[in-house]
């Protein structure tokens, strides 16, 4: 029987000897992008199976990040289990060329008794531009991509999550006295947050993710 953990130890030894030490994150990511281009250039999959190269490079990246082979397999199995427990949209609504992502609407909100922000959280100075950037960062972290569409319900939950970040002080702001264009939106979001006894907005229409 094939022993994937033993194989990963073998791969790590080969990679370090052949490509040198270090995380090489940008180098591995660059190589993955090149393999993905080859995959896209062969839509029928008649050439070499470049997907295998992507898998090998993914393992290499995780190993170079310091993950042990046993840990990688545990993470992989855990991720599969997590995906199986998520809510997914009807695949029939998507074309062959678009990613199908799970419903993130239940992942946006954090309870008030959640752990305090880590020391790595840096508060931004208040201005309309920096607040817009902070909001955009939150969208990106939660899976939003420029040009994509998100449901109105998800947009409302993102607004609530951002409002709670301001409320908890994770984003530097003078709320409720900031006077910026998002002041009213943050106030409404905090009032609607279920952790404060509010009721989130439920909007079923699709809106722009910009």
């Amino acid at each position: 029987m094939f022993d994937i953990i033993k194989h990963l130890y073998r791969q790590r030894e080969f990679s370090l000897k052949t490509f040198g030490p270090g995380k090489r994150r940008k180098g591995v990511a660059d190589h993955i992008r090149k393999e993905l281009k080859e995959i896209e250039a062969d839509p029928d999959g008649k050439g070499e199976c470049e997907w295998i190269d992507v898998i090998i490079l993914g393992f290499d990246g995780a190993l170079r990040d310091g993950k042990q082979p046993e840990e990688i397999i545990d993470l992989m199995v855990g991720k599969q289990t997590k995906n199986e427990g998520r809510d997914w949209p009807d695949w029939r609504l998507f074309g062959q060329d678009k990613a199908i992502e799970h419903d993130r609407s239940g992942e946006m909100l954090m309870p008030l008794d959640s752990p305090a922000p880590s020391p790595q959280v840096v508060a931004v100075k208040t201005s309309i531009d920096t607040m817009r950037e902070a909001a955009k960062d939150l969208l990106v972290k939660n899976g939003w991509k420029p040009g994509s569409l998100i449901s109105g319900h998800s947009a409302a939950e993102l607004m609530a999550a951002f409002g709670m970040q301001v409320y908890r002080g994770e984003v530097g702001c003078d709320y409720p006295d900031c006077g910026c264009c998002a002041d009213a939106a943050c106030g409404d979001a905090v009032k609607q947050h279920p952790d404060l006894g509010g009721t989130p907005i439920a909007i079923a229409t699709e809106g722009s993710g910009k």
Side-chain angles (χ1 to χ4, degrees), residues 7-40:
H7 179 80
L8 288 176
Y9 276 105
R10 171 188 172 190
Q11 177 179 334
R12 182 171 63 183
E13 181 180 358
F14 167 79
S15 180
L16 293 175
K17 180 180 178 181
T18 307
F19 306 113
K23 290 191 174 184
R24 300 196 75 254
R25 272 179 153 249
K26 290 185 177 180
V28 174
D30 181 56
H31 199 160
I32 289 175
R33 281 191 292 269
K34 291 180 179 179
E35 296 297 339
L36 292 176
K37 288 181 179 178
E38 291 186 27
I39 289 171
E40 291 181 336

Side-chain angles (χ1 to χ4, degrees), residues 137-188:
D137 288 344
L138 178 66
L139 288 165
V140 171
K141 288 177 182 177
N142 284 282
W144 175 83
K145 297 178 181 178
S148 65
L149 295 177
I150 60 174
S151 68
H153 179 69
S154 295
E157 291 207 347
L158 282 166
M159 182 190 296
F162 180 63
M164 290 303 292
Q165 281 192 334
V166 173
Y167 183 84
R168 290 192 298 265
E170 296 174 14
V171 175
C173 180
D174 295 328
Y175 171 81
D177 302 312
C178 57
C180 78
C181 60
D183 191 353
C186 285
D188 288 342

Side-chain angles (χ1 to χ4, degrees), residues 87-159:
D87 292 324
W88 296 88
D90 187 341
W91 58 269
R92 299 173 187 83
L93 302 176
F94 296 80
Q96 291 286 316
D97 299 331
K98 296 295 181 182
I100 302 177
E101 300 185 78
H102 70 277
D103 180 4
R104 299 176 183 273
S105 61
E107 300 179 4
M108 304 298 162
L109 307 178
M110 295 176 60
L112 286 177
D113 59 353
S114 59
S118 68
Q120 287 77 20
V121 174
V122 179
V124 297
K125 295 181 179 180
T126 306
S127 74
I128 291 177
D129 288 339
T130 52
M131 295 303 282
R132 284 173 177 166
E133 287 300 309
K136 184 173 69 174
D137 288 344
L138 178 66
L139 288 165
V140 171
K141 288 177 182 177
N142 284 282
W144 175 83
K145 297 178 181 178
S148 65
L149 295 177
I150 60 174
S151 68
H153 179 69
S154 295
E157 291 207 347
L158 282 166
M159 182 190 296

Side-chain angles (χ1 to χ4, degrees), residues 41-71:
D42 181 23
D44 296 325
K46 294 182 178 179
E48 292 186 16
C49 187
E50 306 299 341
W51 291 112
I52 300 301
D53 291 326
V54 174
I55 293 169
I56 291 172
L57 287 165
F59 280 142
D60 189 40
L63 289 165
R64 287 179 176 275
D65 268 359
K67 299 291 188 295
Q68 295 300 314
E70 295 86 355
E71 186 179 3

